[in-house]
Amino acid sequence: MGLFSGQFANVVEWEEFRDDMIFWKWTNREIKKGSKLIIRPGQDAIFLNSGRIEGIFKDDGDYDIESQIIPFLSTLKGFKFGFNSGMRAEVLFVNTKEFQVTWGTKGPINIPAQGMPGGLPIRANGTFSFKVNDYVTLIDKIAGVKNSYLVEDVKERIVSVLDQLLMKWITREGKDMYNLMANADSISKGIQGDLDMEICGDGMTITRFYVKSFNYPESIQQRINQNAGQSMIGDVGRYQQVAMTDGMASGKVQGGGMASDMAGMMMGMQMANQMMQNMNGNMQNMNGNMNGNMQNMNGNMNGNMQNGMQGQPQQGGGSTKPNFCPNCGAKTGDGNFCSNCGAKL
């Protein structure tokens, strides 16, 4: 009898395991007396009956279902195997690891930017991670109607809304549209929060979201590089000279031919123009300084002359000698003192 009944025993395990599979359901079979449950590391086993959770088992190992599993099931703990009877149940195996996914925009996203009516077209790429965190919701929304679920299914759902979220958070956090990586951290955190809200209703959570890079069109990237070079050198003329020198040094402008001669002439003309501009600027500064000094000298001379005139005694009727002495009334002569009384005239 025992030998005959043993042929009905089966093994309940994740038979179609894939590293990129989020869950897999063992279903449509009866669990017979003597059957075993195998839980491997990184897996949880959930017994279901009519779509309802009977028990969750998280420790990896081999278990005898009759003696080690059934006593812990919520409504089936009194179940007894008969000779021809079995227990019909579903077992959902869940991958407990954190899944990491690479992402990239399918096409350029036109971000509003000053001076570009059609927007600034950029692409972005990076990674995000997620894991299952709510078995009840997972079963209610997905596992109840699907026998398996892949990482690619989640990725497709995330990518379908990612362009809108990138535009939202780049516009909000991207203070410099030509250096978005400076704000990549705040942009990533904002997107992570929105994506978590998107998939939390399915029993999963976004644990990380990173923007690895923002990519501009080649013409825009060249302009960014040129602006960066100009800002480092600080002078357009010097930037042109350095760019020409770099071209000759790299072999893009070959020596010994017409192209090299033209390049040399252009460099000479640019350097001469730069020198003339510098000389003109210096002459203007010198003329300005000389004019300023002359104005200061004229002002000082005028001031000194005015001060000197103010300090001298006034010439007029008060300085002329009287015809008669104011002391004695005698007639005065050419002297400075009265000849009669000696008073000073």
Side-chain angles (χ1 to χ4, degrees):
M1 174 80 67
L3 181 63
F4 179 75
S5 62
Q7 66 180 325
F8 297 111
N10 49 24
V11 177
V12 180
E13 62 179 334
W14 192 332
E15 299 170 353
E16 300 181 11
F17 178 77
R18 290 172 48 174
D19 195 55
D20 64 338
M21 188 173 284
I22 301 170
F23 68 76
W24 179 81
K25 189 187 297 181
W26 189 95
T27 185
N28 295 329
R29 283 172 283 180
E30 285 188 339
I31 299 174
K32 298 292 185 177
K33 185 178 179 67
S35 296
K36 290 181 178 275
L37 170 68
I38 299 178
I39 303 177
R40 295 182 175 85
Q43 300 176 2
D44 286 354
I46 306 173
F47 276 75
L48 304 172
N49 185 25
S50 300
R52 171 180 176 179
I53 295 179
E54 289 285 334
I56 301 175
F57 302 90
K58 298 185 176 183
D59 296 330
D60 58 280
D62 297 357
Y63 299 91
D64 180 79
I65 292 180
E66 182 179 10
S67 61
Q68 295 178 281
I69 300 298
I70 290 180
F72 297 96
L73 301 180
S74 57
T75 60
L76 299 176
K77 61 179 56 181
F79 179 83
K80 298 294 182 182
F81 288 104
F83 178 73
N84 290 320
S85 66
M87 179 181 68
R88 183 170 293 278
E90 296 177 334
V91 181
L92 181 70
F93 289 92
V94 179
N95 195 332
T96 61
K97 80 170 188 177
E98 184 178 74
F99 299 95
Q100 181 170 308
V101 184
T102 59
W103 61 268
T105 52
K106 294 182 178 180
I109 307 171
N110 292 321
I111 305 298
Q114 186 176 4
M116 302 188 72
L120 176 63
I122 66 166
R123 297 174 183 265
N125 64 79
T127 62
F128 70 88
S129 300
F130 73 97
K131 63 183 301 184
V132 176
N133 70 330
D134 186 343
Y135 290 158
V136 174
T137 305
L138 179 73
I139 293 168
D140 183 50
K141 294 297 181 67
I142 301 177
V145 294
K146 289 181 177 290
N147 291 331
S148 64
Y149 203 55
L150 299 175
V151 171
E152 188 64 26
D153 297 325
V154 176
K155 180 179 179 179
E156 288 182 2
R157 180 172 178 181
I158 294 297
V159 171
S160 67
V161 299
L162 198 51
D163 286 4
Q164 298 175 3
L165 296 180
L166 279 166
M167 181 174 291
K168 169 185 173 181
W169 287 101
I170 288 174
T171 305
R172 182 178 299 184
E173 300 292 336
K175 300 175 180 62
D176 183 357
M177 289 299 170
Y178 298 97
N179 187 21
L180 290 174
M181 286 306 299
N183 301 103
D185 185 59
S186 57
I187 293 172
S188 297
K189 289 180 179 178
I191 294 175
Q192 177 179 339
D194 284 352
L195 287 179
D196 193 54
M197 293 295 295
E198 178 71 21
I199 70 170
C200 70
D202 292 338
M204 293 173 284
T205 182
I206 300 291
T207 54
R208 293 182 183 86
F209 184 91
Y210 293 120
V211 177
K212 184 178 180 181
S213 67
F214 292 101
N215 302 310
Y216 301 90
E218 184 177 356
S219 59
I220 299 294
Q221 188 62 55
Q222 289 177 353
R223 188 180 304 173
I224 294 173
N225 294 339
Q226 290 174 356
N227 291 337
Q230 291 175 12
S231 63
M232 286 190 294
I233 294 177
D235 183 84
V236 176
R238 290 179 61 195
Y239 174 77
Q240 293 173 344
Q241 296 169 15
V242 172
M244 183 67 70
T245 303
D246 289 343
M248 296 180 66
S250 64
K252 294 180 179 179
V253 180
Q254 298 293 335
M258 182 178 295
S260 179
D261 293 340
M262 290 296 294
M265 291 176 60
M266 290 177 64
M267 286 184 63
M269 293 176 64
Q270 290 173 357
M271 294 177 67
N273 289 334
Q274 186 66 36
M275 292 176 63
M276 290 298 296
Q277 290 175 4
N278 292 336
M279 290 177 63
N280 291 334
N282 292 333
M283 290 297 294
Q284 290 176 358
N285 290 334
M286 291 176 62
N287 291 334
N289 291 334
M290 291 178 63
N291 290 334
N293 291 333
M294 292 295 294
Q295 291 176 358
N296 291 333
M297 290 176 62
N298 291 333
N300 292 333
M301 291 177 64
N302 291 333
N304 292 333
M305 291 177 67
Q306 291 176 0
N307 290 334
M309 293 293 292
Q310 291 175 358
Q312 293 179 357
Q314 294 182 353
Q315 301 294 326
S319 64
T320 304
K321 291 187 293 184
N323 293 328
F324 297 95
C325 176
N327 185 42
C328 65
K331 185 174 176 63
T332 61
D334 296 329
N336 293 327
F337 297 92
C338 177
S339 59
N340 183 43
C341 65
K344 185 178 180 179
L345 299 177

